[in-house]
Amino acid sequence: MTENAQQQPTAPSTELPTQYAPAEVEGALYERWVDKGYFTADAKSDKPPYTIVIPPPNVTGSLHLGHAFQHTLMDALTRRKRMQGYEALWLPGMDHAGIATQNKVEQQLAEEGKSRHDLGREEFVERVWQWKEEYGGRILGQMRRLGDGVDWSRERFTMDEGLSEAVLTIFKRLYEDELIYRAERIINWCPRCLTAISDIEVEYQEDAGELVSIRYGEGEDSLVVATTRAETMLGDTAVAVHPDDERYRHLIGKQIKLPLTDRTIPVVADTHVDPEFGTGAVKVTPAHDPNDFEIGRRHDLPSLTIMDEHGVITVHGPFIGLDRFEARSAVVGALKEQGRIVAEKRPYMHSVGHCSRCKTTVEPRLSMQWWVKVGPLAKAAGDAVRDGRVKIHPEDMSKRYFDWVDNMHDWCISRQLWWGHRIPIWYGPDGEVVCVGPGEEPPTGEGWTQDSDVLDTWFSSGLWPFSTLGWPEQTEDLRKFYPTDVLLTGHDIIFFWVARMMMFGLYAMDGQAPFHTIALTGLVRDEFGKKMSKSNPNAVDPLVWMDAYGSDAVRFTLANGANPGADVPIGEDWVKASRNFTNKIWNATRFALMNGATVEGPLPDASEMSATDRWILSRLNTTVAQVDAYYDDYQFAKLADALYHFAWDEVFDWYVELSKTTFFAGGEQAKVSGRVLGEVLDVTLRLLHPVIPFVTDALWTTLTGGESLVVGEWPADSGFRDKDAELEIELVQRVVTEVRRFRKDQGLKDGQKVPARLELTGTALAAHEAAIRQLLRLQPEGETFTATATLPVAGATVALDLSGTIDVAAERKRLAKDLAAAEKEKAQANAKLGNEAFLAKAPDNVVDKIRGRLAKADEDIQRIQEQLDRLPQA
C-alpha cells in the first residue's frame, strides 16, 4: 500500500472525458514529461543507480516492430526502477551505420549523375554529415511517439567527438598490446558496396543455382569434384581428400591436371574433408573460400586471386573481363566441350550469402585487412559469464553464448568505405607503420599516407556502454552509471554486438563487465509465426497502429507476448484487444470517480470493511508481489497477463460490480468502499504505468491530484492478506458464474430479468444477496412464483421461475435433437475405434482426431443432459 495523502499537492478532479482519445493525450503528455526533466538522470544523486544503454539504432533507420518491442521492455524496466527510488538512466543514441549511410548518400549522388569519386573523400564525408543533419535520426522522433523515457540530454552518436576519441584510444591500446594486426585473410566481400562486411551484414537465403561435377586428371589418376561455383576452379591450387579414404590413397601427393589451364595441382590429405559427402574429394581455392583458405595454410598452398573487387574475372584468357556469373556459364560450357562434366543438377537449392544492404551475392575473397586478435578478449568474455559476474537470461541461452566466444575467429575490423572512423595508421615512405592516438600529431612529410579504410561499425558500437558515459575520461557519469545494469537485446545479435561489448568492456574497464545481466528477447513475428520482412506483405509499421489504437495499446500487446528468449507473434486483432483494455481502464476509473472513489485519508481499518473490500485488498497485494517477482525475472508476458486479469477481471468485472449496490445505497459503508476502490485504482495504475504510461498517468493525476506517475512511488506489498474473504468471494463468483452459464444455455438475454428465490441462509453468501441479484438480473420471487429450475451451487440453492421467459417444450425439443446428434457422433467414433482393421491401417493423426471427436461428444452429452435436468417438466 502507499501513503497517498502525503503525495497530493492538489485536490483530485472527478472529471474525465466520456471516451479516451490517445491522440489528444499522448503527444502533449510526453512533451510535459520531457520539459519537467523527469527522464534526466543526476550523476551527483545519492540514489542508487540503474542504467540501461539503448542498442543504438542506425541513423538511417525508422521505428519498426522490433525496435518498438525492445524499447517497450527497456522503458518498462527503467520506469519501474525510477518509481522505486533509483537514479534511473536510459541513455539514447544512434549508430553511424557505415555502409547503410554511405549507400544513402551515394544514391543521392547517383540521381545527380555523380559518384563519390567525383567529390573526393573530404567533400563526400561532408556531404554525409549534411545528410545526417537533414534526414538522419528520424527514429528519435518516433521513439517519443512510443513513449521512450530516455535521457535526451545525454543523447550520443557513434561519430560524435567524444565517441570518436574513445575509438582512437582503444585502437591505440589494442595495437600496442599486439591485439590488432594487419594480414591477408578471407573475408565477406560485397562487389556492389566494394567493402568487406561483417557476418551480421550477410543475409542467407535459398537460391536456385547449379551443382556441377567435374573430372580432374586422367584415367586412374583422376577424381571428381562437385561445386556450385564452377568459375572458381580457375583459382584451384589443390584437390583435398580424407587421409583414410582408400579410394584416393594412391593419389595423395601426386600432381593432376587442372582442366582449362596449363597447371597441375597436388592432391592433399586433410581431415577437414568428409569422405561420406559427395565424392569425398573437394577442390581447394584458398583465395575464394574460407575453409579452403585454412586447408591452404595447413599445406602451404599458393592463393590465386582470380577476380577483382567488382567480381570480374582477371585470369585465363577466354574468361578475362567476364562477370563472375557470366564466367560460371562460360566455364561450364568449356568443360563440357572437353567432356569434363560428369553430372549436372539444376536447379540446385542452396544457402547463399547476400549483402544485407544491397542484396548483392557476397563473394568470399582473400584481402589485406585489419584484424582484432580475439583469443584473450573472448576468453575474458566467457569467464565473466562462467564465474557469475554477468548473468544471461534466460539461462539456457548461455550455451549459445559460449559456443560463440569459445570458438571465435579473429575479427576483421576494416571496411573499404569513406564514412566511418578512419583507421589511425600512417604508412611511411620506407615501410614505416605508425599508430596515432587521440591528441597525437600524425607524421608529416613526403610519402606519408593514412590508411584509407574505416573501422567496422561494430567496433565503435562495441564501446557503447562506457564510451557514451565519457570514457576515456573518468567522468561523473562513468563513475555513477558504469557498469550498466541490464542489456536487453535480441538473441540474434548475441554473437556480434553482445560479445564485442563484453570483450571491449572487460578490456577497457579493468575487468568490469559492461552490464550485470544480459536479457535476451526473441524476434517479433506476425500472428502466424512468420518472420516479418519488408519484402513480405506481413511487415507492419508500428506508427500506423499507434495512430489507430494508441501507443499504450501497441506497447501492451508487445509486452504481453514477451516470454524470455522466445519469438513474439503479433497481429492487429491483438492490438485492438489491448486498445479495448485501455478503454476499460479509462471507463472503470471514470465510473469510480463518479461514485466516490478517493485516495484522501488513510485506509479504514479492516474491521470496518466488507468482505468484498478485504478480498480485493488481499488480491491487490498478491498481485503486487507477483508483478515484482516477474519483473525481477524479466517475465514480461507473465506480468502483463497478471495485470490484465487483475485489472479487468477482479477489479472492474468483480469488485466494481459487487460494490455497486453499496455505492448506490450510500452511507458510511459506501465511504469505506470508496476509499478502498481509490486505493485499488491508485496501486493498479502504478503497477500498469511502466508498460502503458500514457493512459495511466492521465488517470492517476486525475484520481490523486499527484504530479505524475513518472516520478510516483512504486507500490509495495503491505503484507495484508485475508484468506477468509478470498474464500467467501470465491463462493459468490461460483454462484454468479454457474447461474450465468445456465442463463446462457437457456438462451436468456443478458439484461433479461428472471424471478428467483435465493436460499443463502447459513452460508457466507447471505451478506451478498443484493449484489448477486444485481449481477444476475434476478427479481424478487413474488406471489405467483413457481420454481421451474433449481440450481444447487456453493452450498446454496438458486431457484428460478422460467415460466414467463422461455418455451420449455420447445427448449426440450431443441436439446433432445442436440443430444441425439451428440450420441450419434459418439457411436460412430466408438465404432471406428473398436475396428481393429481400421486402427491397423489408419495414420496416427487420423486416429487421434477420432479420439478427440469421441471426447468432445462425451462432453456435449454431459452438458446437454445437465441442461435437460435443470428444465422444468413440460
Side-chain angles (χ1 to χ4, degrees):
M1 300 303 167
T2 55
E3 292 298 327
N4 300 298
Q6 299 176 12
Q7 301 183 37
Q8 320 311 322
T10 60
S13 167
T14 59
E15 295 184 5
L16 281 173
T18 55
Q19 291 183 325
Y20 177 50
E24 297 175 12
V25 173
E26 293 178 348
L29 191 52
Y30 186 85
E31 293 308 316
R32 177 178 179 272
W33 293 338
V34 174
D35 292 344
K36 288 285 188 179
Y38 293 155
F39 306 139
T40 304
D42 182 3
K44 298 179 180 179
S45 166
D46 292 333
K47 296 178 182 178
Y50 183 81
T51 317
I52 294 181
V53 290
I54 205 166
N58 286 355
V59 66
T60 61
S62 60
L63 191 74
H64 57 64
L65 273 174
H67 289 130
F69 170 55
Q70 293 181 358
H71 288 205
T72 293
L73 305 188
M74 285 184 277
D75 195 32
L77 290 171
T78 311
R79 285 177 181 271
R80 172 176 174 256
K81 286 296 183 180
R82 187 179 292 114
M83 294 174 73
Q84 286 181 317
Y86 287 78
E87 194 62 45
L89 169 62
W90 186 19
L91 195 149
M94 292 184 298
D95 191 286
H96 65 278
I99 295 177
T101 309
Q102 179 156 322
N103 280 348
K104 288 280 188 183
V105 179
E106 288 197 87
Q107 288 166 12
Q108 267 192 350
L109 289 174
E111 292 171 3
E112 301 170 14
K114 298 178 183 178
S115 75
R116 60 179 163 127
H117 300 286
D118 294 323
L119 273 65
R121 183 168 192 143
E122 188 174 334
E123 189 177 341
F124 176 78
V125 171
E126 179 58 35
R127 180 74 175 256
V128 180
W129 277 107
Q130 292 172 8
W131 181 93
K132 185 259 182 186
E133 293 304 315
E134 187 172 355
Y135 300 104
R138 175 176 46 165
I139 191 172
L140 299 179
Q142 295 167 342
M143 287 162 55
R144 301 170 90 94
R145 281 287 315 277
L146 187 65
D148 283 8
V150 296
D151 186 344
W152 293 111
S153 71
R154 286 179 167 86
E155 180 191 334
R156 303 305 300 267
F157 178 54
T158 49
M159 288 281 285
D160 70 29
E161 184 177 348
L163 269 62
S164 295
E165 181 181 353
V167 167
L168 294 177
T169 300
I170 202 160
F171 186 100
K172 173 102 174 175
R173 291 188 188 180
L174 289 164
Y175 181 81
E176 291 180 343
D177 286 344
E178 298 182 350
L179 294 173
I180 283 183
Y181 64 94
R182 192 170 185 240
E184 271 196 321
R185 297 281 188 276
I186 292 285
I187 45 87
N188 301 308
W189 181 264
C190 176
R192 156 61 182 80
C193 298
L194 298 179
T195 181
I197 59 177
S198 68
D199 291 338
I200 198 172
E201 291 164 326
V202 178
E203 292 179 348
Y204 288 90
Q205 65 184 46
E206 290 293 308
D207 283 2
E210 61 178 347
L211 181 69
V212 294
S213 297
I214 310 167
R215 182 176 299 281
Y216 286 18
E218 305 293 342
E220 292 185 358
D221 290 347
S222 69
L223 38 66
V224 175
V225 300
T227 181
T228 58
R229 301 164 67 214
E231 72 283 3
T232 64
M233 67 157 292
L234 300 173
D236 284 0
T237 56
V239 173
V241 297
H242 194 278
D244 299 330
D245 194 332
E246 293 293 339
R247 294 171 294 178
Y248 305 117
R249 190 181 294 276
H250 68 289
L251 288 177
I252 295 173
K254 286 189 176 183
Q255 296 281 327
I256 61 173
K257 182 77 164 54
L258 179 65
L260 304 185
T261 73
D262 56 2
R263 292 190 291 118
T264 60
I265 57 176
V267 177
V268 299
D270 197 284
T271 55
H272 170 76
V273 179
D274 180 1
E276 303 297 324
F277 183 78
T279 64
V282 297
K283 59 190 287 298
V284 181
T285 320
H288 292 278
D289 183 273
N291 293 321
D292 293 3
F293 177 77
E294 294 302 325
I295 293 175
R297 285 175 55 162
R298 288 193 288 272
H299 298 278
D300 294 323
L301 300 174
S303 295
L304 301 182
T305 299
I306 64 160
M307 64 182 79
D308 65 15
E309 65 270 24
H310 296 280
V312 173
I313 302 298
T314 58
V315 300
H316 202 67
F319 309 109
I320 292 176
L322 294 180
D323 171 84
R324 54 189 167 151
F325 301 116
E326 296 172 335
R328 184 171 300 170
S329 297
V331 166
V332 171
L335 289 168
K336 283 182 179 178
E337 289 180 5
Q338 293 189 3
R340 292 285 176 176
I341 300 296
V342 176
E344 289 182 87
K345 185 174 182 180
R346 188 186 295 114
Y348 178 71
M349 301 304 297
H350 62 134
S351 182
V352 178
H354 296 259
C355 174
S356 63
R357 303 300 175 192
C358 68
K359 311 308 177 187
T360 301
T361 300
V362 169
E363 189 67 35
R365 186 169 188 262
L366 184 63
S367 179
M368 181 67 76
Q369 302 284 346
W370 285 93
W371 304 81
V372 172
K373 182 180 179 182
V374 300
L377 302 174
K379 181 181 183 304
D383 291 346
V385 175
R386 286 190 169 94
D387 64 24
R389 280 175 287 160
V390 178
K391 305 287 187 186
I392 292 181
H393 187 88
E395 191 175 354
D396 59 10
M397 286 281 183
S398 298
K399 183 181 184 302
R400 297 180 66 185
Y401 176 81
F402 292 133
D403 285 346
W404 178 254
V405 298
D406 293 347
N407 301 285
M408 194 182 297
H409 300 296
D410 284 0
W411 169 22
C412 176
I413 56 171
S414 46
R415 298 291 180 266
Q416 289 65 56
L417 303 171
W418 287 356
W419 172 245
H421 296 102
R422 193 165 176 180
I423 289 176
I425 294 289
W426 269 255
Y427 304 106
D430 299 318
E432 302 96 332
V433 179
V434 176
C435 181
V436 178
E440 298 176 353
E441 291 296 325
T444 57
E446 187 175 350
W448 282 94
T449 58
Q450 186 178 358
D451 195 298
S452 60
D453 290 351
V454 300
L455 288 163
D456 177 12
T457 295
W458 296 99
F459 190 93
S460 52
S461 60
L463 314 180
W464 190 252
F466 53 95
S467 63
T468 52
L469 297 172
W471 187 90
E473 301 299 323
Q474 292 302 306
T475 63
E476 284 187 332
D477 277 3
L478 194 63
R479 287 190 291 270
K480 176 76 172 180
F481 296 112
Y482 188 91
T484 68
D485 285 86
V486 60
L487 171 73
L488 191 143
T489 192
H491 62 64
D492 56 325
I493 58 172
I494 187 174
F495 312 130
F496 307 105
W497 189 46
V498 177
R500 282 151 172 66
M501 286 190 291
M502 286 287 284
M503 291 191 301
F504 280 168
L506 290 160
Y507 173 78
M509 298 300 294
D510 300 321
Q512 270 196 310
F515 16 75
H516 300 304
T517 301
I518 300 168
L520 296 170
T521 70
L523 308 179
V524 177
R525 297 184 178 272
D526 71 12
E527 59 193 302
F528 305 107
K530 294 181 180 178
K531 183 179 179 181
M532 287 191 177
S533 169
K534 290 180 180 178
S535 60
N536 292 334
N538 66 350
V540 174
D541 181 350
L543 295 167
V544 173
W545 282 353
M546 289 184 213
D547 289 340
Y549 309 113
S551 297
D552 282 332
V554 174
R555 289 171 62 114
F556 192 81
T557 306
L558 291 165
N560 205 26
N563 290 298
D567 288 348
V568 183
I570 184 172
E572 188 168 7
D573 285 346
W574 304 343
V575 183
K576 289 179 182 178
S578 295
R579 184 271 316 273
N580 295 343
F581 181 47
T582 61
N583 287 344
K584 182 77 170 181
I585 298 168
W586 183 273
N587 294 333
T589 304
R590 186 170 178 272
F591 168 85
L593 288 169
M594 293 170 62
N595 287 275
T598 179
V599 296
E600 295 180 359
L603 274 174
D605 189 78
S607 62
E608 302 175 47
M609 299 179 190
S610 67
T612 308
D613 294 333
R614 298 194 306 276
W615 163 74
I616 196 62
L617 290 176
S618 183
R619 293 295 306 132
L620 176 68
N621 278 285
T622 297
T623 303
V624 170
Q626 283 180 333
V627 169
D628 275 331
Y630 290 145
Y631 262 116
D632 292 341
D633 198 33
Y634 303 98
Q635 297 279 359
F636 296 99
K638 288 183 178 179
L639 72 89
D641 187 67
L643 286 169
Y644 177 90
H645 288 292
F646 174 72
W648 191 308
D649 299 345
E650 298 189 277
V651 179
F652 305 145
D653 277 359
W654 283 109
Y655 179 71
V656 169
E657 293 300 323
L658 285 170
S659 301
K660 277 183 178 178
T661 53
T662 300
F663 289 134
F664 295 162
E668 287 303 314
Q669 192 57 53
K671 292 180 180 178
V672 170
S673 293
R675 179 64 188 89
V676 170
L677 179 54
E679 181 75 10
V680 171
L681 286 174
D682 175 16
V683 174
T684 302
L685 292 171
R686 292 172 191 262
L687 291 172
L688 285 164
H689 175 74
V691 179
I692 48 174
F694 293 107
V695 68
T696 52
D697 198 42
L699 291 172
W700 185 84
T701 52
T702 302
L703 172 70
T704 69
E707 181 183 350
S708 173
L709 261 183
V710 180
V711 289
E713 182 183 345
W714 183 254
D717 176 7
S718 72
F720 178 84
R721 300 289 190 281
D722 192 323
K723 291 299 179 185
D724 291 338
E726 290 194 36
L727 290 171
E728 186 171 323
I729 300 305
E730 283 176 16
L731 293 177
V732 176
Q733 291 172 324
R734 282 176 58 193
V735 171
V736 172
T737 301
E738 187 67 22
V739 176
R740 277 178 174 166
R741 184 182 296 117
F742 177 75
R743 288 177 57 110
K744 183 178 181 181
D745 288 343
Q746 305 311 313
L748 296 177
K749 296 178 181 178
D750 290 342
Q752 190 171 353
K753 294 184 178 181
V754 178
R757 176 187 300 137
L758 273 60
E759 298 176 6
L760 310 176
T761 305
T763 72
L765 295 166
H768 302 280
E769 179 169 351
I772 291 171
R773 285 186 177 276
Q774 169 82 16
L775 288 168
L776 292 172
R777 305 292 191 269
L778 301 181
Q779 292 178 321
E781 51 194 277
E783 294 181 2
T784 60
F785 179 83
T786 303
T788 59
T790 302
L791 284 72
V793 57
T797 300
V798 178
L800 303 173
D801 183 354
L802 303 178
S803 57
T805 57
I806 62 172
D807 183 335
V808 176
E811 185 64 14
R812 278 192 169 277
K813 185 177 180 180
R814 182 185 70 80
L815 289 172
K817 183 178 178 182
D818 290 346
L819 182 61
E823 287 174 338
K824 181 179 179 181
E825 175 74 1
K826 179 178 180 177
Q828 290 175 342
N830 273 326
K832 286 189 176 182
L833 293 174
N835 186 332
E836 294 295 333
F838 169 78
L839 293 176
K841 294 179 180 179
D844 289 344
N845 65 318
V846 172
V847 175
D848 289 342
K849 186 175 181 180
I850 294 171
R851 288 192 178 118
R853 285 168 51 190
L854 177 61
K856 175 69 165 53
D858 279 334
E859 291 175 5
D860 289 345
I861 290 168
Q862 182 179 352
R863 174 180 56 80
I864 297 167
Q865 191 60 60
E866 287 176 354
Q867 290 177 241
L868 281 167
D869 292 344
R870 288 170 176 167
L871 281 175
Q873 295 299 317

